Amino acid sequence: MSVSIPVGIRVLITGSSHEPGAALFRAMAQIPTPGTGRIVRPAGTLFLSQRPYLPSGPLRDVLITPEKEGEISDHLLLSTLHDLGLERVANQVGGLDAERDWEKELSLKNSSF
């Protein structure tokens, strides 16, 4: 396969199976995949997931990676949520230790936040 996509063009890959599009996405994102070939992409190319992954559990675990646990204060977390206009999330669910299925709670379809 050979394809050239001009700079600035957005691409949506569709088909009866998601596998070819997923394979192309992984290769373009430089995720190790079987096969050979060459992909040239401009610096600054961004890849956006249709649905971001958010783990279930405490809100704190969504905001802090395990290796940073204990290094970032609750005050800083809440202040950052405030700065982003998201402090209501912590308030409505019961704080940073509230356990939820965040993928559903913070879904784009969920209008409560």
Side-chain angles (χ1 to χ4, degrees), residues 30-90:
Q30 299 177 327
I31 297 170
T33 56
T36 61
R38 184 176 91 124
I39 294 178
V40 178
R41 60 186 178 105
T45 300
L46 300 175
F47 297 91
L48 302 174
S49 173
Q50 287 179 328
R51 293 183 58 198
Y53 170 73
L54 296 172
S56 295
L59 178 58
R60 179 184 320 282
D61 291 355
V62 173
L63 302 173
I64 303 175
T65 58
E67 59 271 4
K68 296 290 185 183
E69 191 174 345
E71 294 180 28
I72 300 175
S73 70
D74 288 0
H75 175 65
L76 179 57
L77 287 174
L78 294 170
S79 175
T80 301
L81 287 173
H82 174 78
D83 291 347
L84 295 171
L86 296 172
E87 71 274 13
R88 68 188 181 283
V89 173

